[in-house]
Amino acid sequence: MIFPLLAKLNVSAPVAWFVGIVGGTLPAVLLGNSIFYIFTTAITVGAISFLLLQRRFAVVVAAGLLSGIGGIGFHQLKSGYQDNYAAMLPMRNCGATAQLRIVDPRISEVSDIAPPSLIRAQVLNFRLSGETEFRPSSGVIYLKLPKKIPPELRCGDIILGDGVFALPNTSDVFLWHETDSPLERLEPMRDFSTYLLARGACRTFKINQCAVIGYKPGVIGKITLCRDWLLKRAVSEISKVEIRNLIAALFFGTSGGVDTSSRLRLIESGTIHLFSVSGMHVAMLTAVLLLFLRPLPLRIRYITLFAMLLLYTLSTGANAPAMRAFYMIGLWCLLRAALLYIPSLQTLLLAGGTLILASPYIILDMGFQYSFIITAILILAGERFEQASELLGEEFRYMPNSPFKRMREKRLRRAWSLFFAIGACCAAFVGGVGLSLYTQGLLLPGSILANLILMPIVALLFPVLFFKLATGALYSGFDWFGAKLLEWCFSFTDTITRLFANGFERLSAIRPSLIEILLFYSALFWLLTTRRIRYAAFALAVLLLFPLSWLYRAEKSPLAFFVATNNMADDPIIALHDPKSDYTLMVNAAGFDSSIAGAEFLQKRGATQIDRIIFSSARTGNLTSLAQLSARLPIEEAFTAKLDRHAWAFRNKFAETLPECPLKTSEGGGDYGLAKIIPQKNGFELAYSNLRTTFQIRLLLEMFDNGWLVTLQSSNGKSERRMLSNSSVPEVWVYEFK
C-alpha cells in the first residue's frame, strides 16, 4: 500500500522536472563522465518515478533526466572541441604567449576600484614556449594579474600576455597509513577546480607581463560603460577608498577592491553576503524599481522591470545567486505581464534547473548551494508564517470597527513584523549551518543578530543611492548630502561587523559527514512541509540532535596532531589540537598544499582559531602560505625563537601579511607557552605540555636524504616512528591519542 500512498503526493511538474535534471546531472558531476554511472542512475530514477508517481509526472521526470544528460553531453562536447584550448594543451602547466579578450564585467575603469583577483577572459590564440606560430583557439579562462604592477584593463580589451597556463591546484596531500596499503588522498573541504568548472573554465593563466593591443567591447562591454558612468556618479564626493570599494562591491558587483582584513571581518561576523551582489540585492533593487515604474501600465511595467534586472545582473558579473534571483523574478515579471501566477517554490526550482542545464558543474558551487537551499527554506518558512498570521488575525474578522480594534491590529502587525524578521534570520542561519560546517568549518550564531541589525541598513542604501544619482545631477548639494548618508551607513555597518567579528566567537563543532548533512536537511525540509504534529516533532528532534552532536563531539575529541612534509628546502608543518585545554597550535606555514591541509585538519576537528603559530626558524619560506592559513583560521599570535640581523626579510614579510598579529620573540620577553621548539642538528623537536592533565608529548623531526623521520614520545609511554618522504606531493601523518 505504500506505492499508492506516495503516488497521491502533490508533486508538481517543476518539482518533477528539477528532480530529473539533478538525477541526470549529478552522477557525471560527482563520478566523472562514465556512461555506466550516468545511465544506471537515470534508469533507477526513472523507474522509481514511474513506480511512485502518476504517469504524467513520471514523464516530466524522464524529460528532466534527458535534459540533464543532454546538458552534460553538450558541456563535454563544447569543452572537448578541437579548437578549445583545453583540448590542445597537455595535462601540465605550460608556459605560453596568449592573446585574450577580457569579458569580465566586474572590472571597472573608475579610479581606486581594484580589479578582482581572478578575471574572466576568452582565449583567442596562443603559442607555447618554443613555438613560433600562434594557434587559433577558444574557451573561457581566468587570469591572474601581476601583484606588483597590475595593468589597467577594461571589459572588452584584447591583450597579448606572457605567462603560464596553470592547472587548478588540487591539494594533492596523501595520508600515511600504518599498513602497506596505498596512500590515501585527503579530500579538501573546498576544491578550486570545482570553482573553475562551475564557471566554464578549467585553467588559470598567470600573467607575467602583458600589453593591450585592441578593444572589442561587445554587448557586455557597452553595458559596463554605462555601469561605470553610474558607479562614478555613485562614489563622487566620497573620499575614503574603503567606502568607495564597498559601494562598488555592494551595488555594482566589482568586489576586487574589498581588502583582505575587511573580507575576513565580514566572514567572521557572518555578513559577507550583504556586501556582494546576490539574490537579496536583486530583490531589493526590484522593490525600489517597482516604486519608480508604478505609473506605467501593468504589462509595460513588468516587461520594463525584466529588462532592467537583466541589464543589472549582466553588468555585475552574473554570479549564481544573482542569476538564480533574476530567473525567479524575471519569470515572475513575465507571468505578471501575462496575468498568470506560479508559486514561489516552483519558480525557484525552475530557476535552479535552468542554471544547472546552463552550467552542470554549478551544482557543486558553494554559492549556488547556499543561495538555492536558503531561499527554499525561507520560502517554505514564509508560507508557514503566513498561515500562522492568518490564524492569529482571525479575531479581527468578528470585531466591529473601532479605535480599539485599529490600535490592537496595528500593534499586532508591528510585533508580527518583528517576529517575522527574527524568524527569517533564524531560518537562514539554520539553513546555512550544515553547509557552513561542511565547506568552511564555520558556526557563527552571532550572525543572526548581526544580520537582523544590518538588513534594514542595507535595504536603506538602495533608496539613498537612487536619491544621490537622481538629485545629485541637478544640484551638487544633494550629491554631497547623499554621499554623507552613504558614508554614515557604511561606517555604521563597519562598526557592527567589527563588534560581532570580535565579540562573538565561532562555536567549536566538528565537520559533519555527507550522510549527516543529507539527513539534517531532509529533517529540516520535512519539518517545514509536513502538517502532522508527530512527524514535525520527530523532524525537530532530528534537527536538534545533529547540531548538538557536532558540538559535543568537538568538545570530547582527543588530542591529535598532524605532520606534513614539503620538500627538502622547506621545514615540515605541524598542527596540534587539544580540545581539553582548548588550545590550537601550528608550526610553520611553508607550502600551500600542506598548510591548507593542516588548517582543514583543525577545522574538521572543531578548532575555531590558531592560538599560536611557532616558526622553527626565521626563514621567509616558513611564511609561504601564511595569508591562506589566516584566511581559514584567525591567528592570535606568532612566536619565533630569535630574529638575528639576517631576519629582516622574514620580519617584513610577516608584518605585510599579518599586520594586526603580534610577532613575539624570546629576546623580546616572549615565551613559548604550552609548546616549545628545541633546535636539533638535523631538524627540530616540538615539546607540548597539557597543564590541566599533566600530559606531555615530544615530536622529534630529523631530516635525512629520503625524507623526514618523525619520532613521537608521550608521557603515557607511547612511542611511534614514521618516515615521511620528500616529494612534490606532501605526505601526512595524523595521530590521535585515544
Side-chain angles (χ1 to χ4, degrees), residues 592-723:
F592 177 83
D593 289 342
S594 53
S595 293
I596 295 304
E600 292 185 349
F601 162 78
L602 297 174
Q603 287 178 307
K604 291 175 182 178
R605 292 179 53 81
T608 58
Q609 65 180 20
I610 296 175
D611 295 296
R612 172 170 285 196
I613 181 169
I614 301 177
F615 301 103
S616 57
S617 60
R619 298 170 55 249
T620 55
N622 287 332
L623 303 175
T624 306
S625 56
L626 185 62
Q628 291 80 8
L629 183 63
S630 62
R632 297 294 183 100
L633 288 169
I635 299 176
E636 290 298 305
E637 63 179 13
F639 185 88
T640 187
K642 61 180 180 178
L643 295 173
D644 55 27
R645 60 188 180 89
H646 301 290
W648 58 271
F650 174 87
R651 185 188 297 108
N652 293 342
K653 186 174 182 180
F654 180 87
E656 179 183 353
T657 307
L658 292 180
E660 298 180 359
C661 180
L663 177 61
K664 299 182 179 180
T665 64
S666 56
E667 296 174 344
D671 58 65
Y672 279 104
L674 300 181
K676 183 177 182 180
I677 294 291
I678 304 171
Q680 301 292 329
K681 182 178 180 180
N682 295 324
F684 63 91
E685 185 179 31
L686 171 67
Y688 173 75
S689 301
N690 186 326
L691 301 180
R692 295 183 180 181
T693 61
T694 66
F695 182 74
Q696 297 180 353
I697 64 171
R698 301 179 80 90
L699 276 175
L700 176 63
L701 292 91
E702 300 174 285
M703 184 176 65
F704 293 90
D705 293 338
N706 60 336
W708 288 83
L709 177 63
V710 184
T711 304
L712 165 67
Q713 292 183 339
S714 61
S715 57
N716 60 6
K718 288 188 176 181
S719 178
E720 300 276 349
R721 280 192 172 190
R722 296 290 180 271
M723 173 62 74

Side-chain angles (χ1 to χ4, degrees), residues 17 20-26 28-29 33 38-39 62-80 197 353-362:
W17 185 67
I21 289 177
V22 173
T25 304
L26 198 59
V29 171
N33 300 314
I38 293 174
F39 282 97
L65 287 168
L66 293 176
S67 300
I69 295 173
I72 284 287
F74 176 77
H75 179 80
Q76 295 301 324
L77 182 65
K78 182 180 177 182
S79 61
L197 286 172
T354 305
L355 277 171
I356 294 172
L357 286 180
S359 179
Y361 286 92
I362 203 171

Side-chain angles (χ1 to χ4, degrees), residues 434-512:
L435 284 175
S436 297
L437 279 176
Y438 188 76
T439 59
Q440 302 180 79
L442 290 175
L443 184 57
L444 303 168
S447 62
I448 299 175
L449 186 56
N451 281 276
L452 186 64
I453 295 173
L454 291 182
M455 283 284 286
I457 303 299
V458 174
L460 181 64
L461 288 173
F462 277 91
V464 171
L465 177 66
F466 271 75
F467 168 80
K468 186 177 187 299
L469 294 175
T471 62
L474 303 175
Y475 176 55
S476 60
F478 290 141
D479 193 41
W480 175 87
F481 181 68
K484 294 304 175 185
L485 284 177
L486 288 175
E487 286 184 344
W488 181 85
C489 290
F490 278 99
S491 298
F492 178 78
T493 59
D494 181 70
T495 302
I496 295 299
T497 54
R498 287 180 184 274
L499 174 65
F500 280 87
N502 299 326
F504 292 82
E505 297 182 352
R506 305 181 184 187
L507 288 184
S508 177
I510 66 161
R511 186 201 188 201

